[in-house]
Amino acid sequence: MADIAIDNPGGVVLLMGNEAIARGAIEAGIGVAAAYPGSPTSEIIPTIAAVAGKRKIHVEWSSNEKVATEVAAAASLAGIRSFAVMKQNGLNVASDFIVNLNMTGIGSAGMVIFVADDPGGMTSSNEQDSREVAKWFDNPLLEAQNAQEAKEMVTWGFELSEKVNLPVFLRGVTRLCYTRGNVALGKLPSGGEKKAFFPEIWDMYNPAKSRFTAGPSQVAHKNLHEKLKKARALFEDSPFNSYAGPENPELLIISSGVCTSYSLEAIEELDVADRVGALKLGTVWPMPEKLIEKRLLSTQKVLFVEETDPFIERSVMEFAAGRLPEMGGLAFYGKRSGHLAPFNEQSADLVIAALADILNIPLAPRDPGYRKKAEEAMALVPARPINMCAGCPHRATFWAVKNAIARDGRNGFVCGDIGCYSMAFAAPGFYQARTMHAMGSGIGMANGFGSLGDYGFDQPVLAVSGDSTFYHAALPALVNGIYNQSNFTLLILDNSATAMTGFQPHPGTGMLATGAPAPIVDMEGLCRSLGAEVRVCDPFDLEETTDAILAMMQKKSGARVIIMRHICQLLKAKRKIPGECKMRVDDEKCLGDSCGCDQLCTRIFGCPGLMWDGAAKKAVIDEAICVGCGLCADICPAGAIIREEARP
Amino acid sequence: MRSLTKEPFNLIVAGVGGQGNVLLSAFVGLALVNEGFTVTVADTFGVSQRGGSVTSHIKISKKASYSSVTLEGKADVVLGMEPVETLRALGEFGNPQVVVIVNPRPVHPAGGIPYPDLDLVKQAISGLSARASFINATDEALKMGDPLFANIILLGALMGADVLPLESGAMLPILQERFSGAMYDKNIEAFNRGIDLCRNP
């Protein structure tokens, strides 16, 4: 979308879910938007940032999600609508603040928190269902079916937030965030001058009037439950909930979010619209019980379609258990019955299979002859495992790490972390990372391993952190390690960007979310000031880097940090910085199968710019992919990979 | 608005991360919305950066917004940016009526996994489609000086094949909005080359 703040009410445009969400926030007249990058939400902040000046919005990449949520909440307390964005992992980081913010309320201006879950773990390390968090924390939660509805829900979420004086969650999933669809634009607010002011009100026993402290918690907690009751009453008549189908369906589907589209498509495909009713729940928590009751009493069978946990399924069954005389005869289908799974994504195909089973409809598979041919052809299709890009500096770093650990010979290992370099747990990083959990956890765990000396632990411990991750959550763990004198070496893989989520700037880049210049929070100086010994290496200088890692690993005490500094190859390409050289395999020198290297360059080193020519049994450069970083010339034992003249 | 032979009409773009299929699919979606269609454009990828399988699903309708992913066996057109990825898509979404346009230039998988015999792959693609056109988009793009032009050449081929409810001219304003100056000229050259390669093989 060229201009997300185009003033064209009623105009229909194609927007990615994330862009539609950004547009919804702009239409709602937000004054502040804050987030830490996390796919599948990463495009929302840049979309708002592109019009930040024009729409007078303070947009920021915060150093982590907790800070982002605090920055946003302060705006609401000062009378300015605020928007915080995070993925499911980020919600965990922000959660300690949110649970307490619920106690104080958000003041006079609304606050919406968009949280995206990732069923199938397409860009995540887990499949957490954030609806459970909303229930746990007592936040109202809406869930959008598509881009259009996401935009509308953001806007309405602010009104709801102001009515109940609570942050409102809008929940999405990867499919919502990354699917583009038609969106009819709404009106933009006139943008009248609003002055931020934090009112001086203090009433110890009325938390609604003492907005700045989580006062007596039993009072605040009681009020919180009253607020949820109010939200539930508003949800009973919400247009975000709708029903389509016969008055007394043979089977009722209750669904939320993108699963509503799967359900409707399955009903259409099986041609059972006269037998199956579809109740779409847009206001998921607190559940609109009267609406649910009405529909439950109209049927005998209920199928729940949702991602990822059986959240609505459990809530409805719990509700029905309290109405046993009227609802004792209902049959419930979903994740408990095994018709759908409480993990991975759902799909229209999965709903078709569930419906066919419950309604005894024979399924006509694809033309059997075609299907057989297709299955046979699949034998030709190779796996395409994950990889780092051609020219990725992380490949160089982990090559050096692997060799340093081997030379040291004391079973050293790497505690991994979250970023492109997470792939070090697998072949692209030569299986060097042995742990990988949450942002900053690699260094925290390295602290722990490095404190086990009293128990005879003598393995060298390395931790890795990206540059953006360093500011997000690695910093407290580094402080801890220095204070508690843990024995480990931290490698900061500084590629000048939050690369995995799309090159967002961070405190070390000298740039703001809007692209404006910013002070650089110097990681090298910071680490030194904390008392760490710091070295800076270019990982493409393999020999020096390997020696540096080995030397640091072999020290017996003291905090050690090596900054591996080399710009992300994709960022380099974006900035049109040409490759250093043109690569060529010397046919004479490449001994192929008879070399004894066992295809070191393609099989182990694994840069996608190298191919194994099966016919010639030799390595070749794929000129469509090679970026000319030159690293492979240094790893070929036969010296057969040649760096030619610098590219023009 | 042109008529649709089917509701929804399903286009799949199959390729490898980094080939530009996400951008290509968005362009097709933008043009369709300009013509008044209701579309969803969704990209399916594994846990991968560059180099993993990426499949984009474009569902075209006159009436409703459908879910993101194509039903099993329901592709109407597959635009393949890479041969084995095309075959992978046909395995899941193909049927005897599907029309295929494919760039026969392999992208090798990582870790030294051998690439299958290309002739066998091409035969299998032809055997699983009503009609398959092989467009040497990467070779043509390299002639133009940058392998990245392959996706715009394939976009041209897709429009040249006249299998979508779109005139090829519908794509011009989209390219104009996205590119300017010399880059616009290069992309138009690539687009027209794609149309030509498809119509005059």
Side-chain angles (χ1 to χ4, degrees):
Chain A
M1 178 78 191
D3 179 7
I4 199 69
I6 186 171
D7 193 12
N8 180 21
V12 177
V13 292
L14 182 74
L15 294 185
M16 189 197 282
N18 281 340
E19 293 171 321
I21 288 161
R23 171 73 191 197
I26 294 165
E27 286 181 10
I30 57 161
V32 169
Y36 178 83
S39 298
T41 67
S42 308
E43 292 76 13
I44 297 173
I45 287 290
T47 304
I48 300 174
V51 296
K54 185 172 150 188
R55 301 296 313 173
K56 255 191 88 180
I57 301 170
H58 170 78
V59 188
E60 70 168 55
W61 285 124
S62 307
S63 53
N64 67 36
E65 296 85 351
K66 182 167 176 279
V67 176
T69 312
E70 288 155 353
V71 165
S76 286
L77 290 181
I80 304 292
R81 282 186 171 183
S82 72
F83 190 41
V85 177
M86 57 203 69
K87 68 183 295 181
Q88 83 280 20
N89 306 65
L91 177 58
N92 300 340
V93 176
S95 64
D96 198 18
F97 175 64
I98 296 171
V99 79
N100 287 298
L101 183 61
N102 286 350
M103 291 287 169
T104 66
I106 46 92
S108 61
M111 175 174 183
V112 172
I113 297 174
F114 177 66
V115 55
D117 292 343
D118 189 14
M122 284 181 268
T123 60
S124 307
S125 52
N126 69 47
E127 293 188 308
Q128 176 179 309
D129 189 333
S130 295
R131 299 175 305 171
E132 309 277 13
V133 178
K135 182 176 177 177
W136 176 24
F137 287 5
D138 293 322
N139 288 87
L141 180 139
L142 312 172
E143 188 177 0
Q145 182 186 348
N146 52 36
Q148 176 78 56
E149 191 177 58
K151 182 186 80 68
E152 285 159 17
M153 278 183 171
V154 175
T155 314
W156 189 70
F158 282 99
E159 289 173 35
L160 174 65
S161 170
E162 283 156 13
K163 281 181 183 145
V164 299
N165 191 12
L166 278 179
V168 166
F169 284 2
L170 172 62
R171 186 234 190 184
V173 294
T174 304
R175 289 289 175 199
L176 174 83
C177 295
Y178 284 155
T179 297
R180 291 165 209 269
N182 297 51
V183 175
L185 300 176
K187 275 193 198 136
L188 291 175
S190 53
E193 292 296 301
K194 232 185 211 170
K195 185 167 163 40
F197 180 72
F198 183 37
E200 195 178 329
I201 304 169
W202 172 245
D203 181 343
M204 181 81 173
Y205 291 97
N206 185 352
K209 287 190 172 176
S210 59
R211 291 168 188 146
F212 39 99
T213 64
S217 49
Q218 73 283 14
V219 179
H221 198 182
K222 177 173 172 283
N223 285 355
L224 181 55
H225 283 245
E226 292 301 322
K227 291 174 180 184
L228 277 195
K229 264 191 208 161
K230 200 168 158 187
R232 193 193 298 277
L234 290 166
F235 286 178
E236 294 288 0
D237 306 314
S238 167
F240 294 126
N241 305 319
S242 60
Y243 176 78
E247 256 327 288
N248 293 99
E250 188 180 330
L251 174 83
L252 173 71
I253 295 181
I254 305 182
S255 64
S256 69
V258 298
C259 290
T260 296
S261 296
Y262 301 145
S263 304
L264 295 175
E265 203 161 331
I267 290 169
E268 181 176 312
E269 187 64 22
L270 289 174
D271 198 15
V272 289
D274 54 342
R275 297 169 68 187
V276 177
L279 175 62
K280 164 189 176 290
L281 215 51
T283 68
V284 173
W285 188 259
M287 196 174 74
E289 292 180 345
K290 285 188 191 130
L291 174 72
I292 296 282
E293 181 175 38
K294 181 180 165 200
R295 287 298 154 200
L296 289 182
L297 292 174
S298 75
T299 188
Q300 297 295 310
K301 294 176 180 168
V302 185
L303 170 65
F304 300 96
V305 185
E306 57 188 319
E307 288 172 339
T308 306
D309 290 353
F311 179 81
I312 298 174
E313 182 171 337
R314 279 199 303 256
S315 304
V316 169
M317 287 177 79
E318 184 185 310
F319 172 74
R323 305 279 195 289
L324 271 182
E326 312 123 274
M327 296 187 183
L330 281 172
F332 293 113
Y333 302 92
K335 308 202 189 223
R336 280 176 72 94
S337 68
H339 284 86
L340 294 165
F343 47 80
N344 212 342
E345 283 199 284
Q346 306 301 313
S347 68
D349 278 320
L350 290 170
V351 182
I352 288 171
L355 279 178
D357 185 73
I358 299 164
L359 300 174
N360 281 315
I361 300 169
L363 274 186
R366 274 190 280 181
D367 175 89
Y370 186 93
R371 176 175 270 224
K372 190 161 173 286
K373 244 189 335 184
E375 275 166 13
E376 283 165 13
M378 283 313 101
L380 282 174
V381 177
R384 205 177 274 286
I386 53 173
N387 203 356
M388 293 168 184
C389 306
C392 176
H394 299 331
R395 182 177 290 105
T397 293
F398 286 104
W399 191 263
V401 164
K402 171 179 141 79
N403 286 320
I405 287 176
R407 270 163 62 188
D408 174 82
R410 292 176 295 157
N411 299 311
F413 62 93
V414 175
C415 295
D417 217 285
I418 306 296
C420 294
Y421 50 92
S422 292
M423 278 187 273
F425 78 89
F430 320 113
Y431 305 97
Q432 293 304 298
R434 300 268 299 280
T435 69
M436 194 268 282
H437 298 87
M439 294 282 290
S441 293
I443 174 165
M445 293 186 77
N447 272 222
F449 285 118
S451 302
L452 294 173
D454 289 351
Y455 297 92
F457 183 89
D458 58 2
Q459 295 166 260
V461 182
L462 297 167
V464 291
S465 159
D467 41 348
S468 186
T469 307
F470 174 71
Y471 300 105
H472 176 286
L475 203 44
L478 179 60
V479 171
N480 184 71
I482 290 167
Y483 170 54
N484 287 303
Q485 297 154 71
S486 174
N487 185 16
F488 67 94
T489 304
L490 171 64
L491 310 181
I492 304 176
L493 313 187
D494 180 7
N495 60 359
S496 306
T498 321
M500 191 160 210
T501 48
F503 324 108
Q504 295 82 2
H506 60 64
T509 57
M511 192 197 284
L512 294 174
T514 54
I520 293 176
V521 179
D522 165 28
M523 68 170 68
E524 196 178 329
L526 183 55
C527 292
R528 284 214 171 94
S529 75
L530 294 174
E533 181 185 346
V534 181
R535 283 195 62 170
V536 181
C537 293
D538 179 346
F540 279 78
D541 189 337
L542 275 178
E543 207 176 306
E544 191 199 313
T545 303
T546 311
D547 289 346
I549 297 169
L550 188 63
M552 288 291 213
M553 274 166 74
Q554 293 187 336
K555 295 197 173 184
K556 298 273 186 290
S557 62
R560 288 146 272 161
V561 175
I562 308 178
I563 298 170
M564 300 290 182
R565 186 162 286 151
H566 196 102
I567 186 174
C568 167
Q569 174 54 41
L570 295 183
L571 199 58
K572 208 169 150 184
K574 260 170 99 82
R575 294 182 186 164
K576 311 239 179 271
I577 305 171
E580 280 75 12
C581 28
K582 187 167 167 55
M583 305 306 294
R584 175 175 69 82
V585 177
D586 185 328
D587 262 359
E588 310 262 296
K589 287 188 182 163
C590 177
L591 303 174
D593 269 355
S594 57
C595 174
C597 76
D598 201 9
Q599 302 178 23
L600 183 79
C601 61
T602 52
R603 208 174 57 79
I604 308 295
F605 184 67
C607 177
L610 289 156
M611 298 189 283
W612 188 253
D613 182 340
K617 301 210 180 303
K618 291 190 181 209
V620 283
I621 302 288
D622 186 341
E623 59 173 326
I625 293 177
C626 176
V627 296
C629 75
L631 190 65
C632 53
D634 291 334
I635 64 105
C636 174
I641 308 180
I642 313 291
R643 287 188 189 92
E644 289 200 324
E645 85 285 2
R647 291 185 165 191
Chain B
M1 199 180 355
R2 283 217 210 166
S3 63
L4 274 183
T5 49
K6 204 171 135 273
E7 268 288 339
F9 186 91
N10 297 317
L11 163 67
I12 289 180
V13 182
V16 175
Q19 286 193 303
N21 42 347
V22 172
L23 186 67
L24 188 160
S25 307
F27 284 176
V28 174
L30 285 165
L32 286 161
V33 169
N34 284 351
E35 297 293 311
F37 290 100
T38 301
V39 301
T40 55
V41 183
D43 309 310
T44 294
F45 41 88
V47 184
S48 63
Q49 293 298 100
R50 301 286 147 134
S53 302
V54 180
T55 314
S56 301
H57 299 247
I58 296 140
K59 285 181 162 180
I60 310 165
S61 168
K62 284 200 161 186
K63 51 176 188 148
S65 165
Y66 280 84
S67 74
S68 304
V69 178
T70 312
L71 296 179
E72 187 194 336
K74 296 281 183 185
D76 297 297
V77 177
V78 172
L79 178 63
M81 310 189 79
E82 201 281 342
V84 297
E85 294 311 320
T86 308
L87 202 47
R88 202 191 302 277
L90 288 172
E92 199 173 348
F93 306 106
N95 56 69
Q97 287 76 44
V98 69
V99 174
V100 177
I101 298 155
V102 54
N103 176 12
R105 170 64 141 79
V107 176
H108 284 231
I113 294 172
Y115 199 91
D117 184 292
L118 187 57
D119 288 331
L120 289 179
V121 174
K122 286 166 77 172
Q123 277 168 31
I125 290 171
S126 298
L128 288 172
S129 51
R131 187 168 97 228
S133 315
F134 294 90
I135 307 288
N136 289 311
T138 304
D139 294 348
E140 291 294 323
L142 285 169
K143 280 188 219 161
M144 288 182 63
D146 191 337
L148 286 178
F149 288 120
N151 67 339
I152 301 297
I153 293 173
L154 285 168
L155 179 65
L158 175 68
M159 299 313 296
D162 203 23
V163 284
L164 299 185
L166 280 178
E167 308 282 348
S168 62
M171 209 53 73
L172 297 179
I174 311 294
L175 296 174
Q176 209 156 22
E177 191 179 317
R178 173 76 192 207
F179 304 107
S180 57
M183 274 313 280
Y184 174 73
D185 294 341
K186 276 293 222 185
N187 278 286
I188 288 293
E189 185 191 335
F191 183 71
N192 288 333
R193 200 172 283 201
I195 295 178
D196 191 53
L197 283 168
C198 187
R199 291 191 179 153
N200 308 301

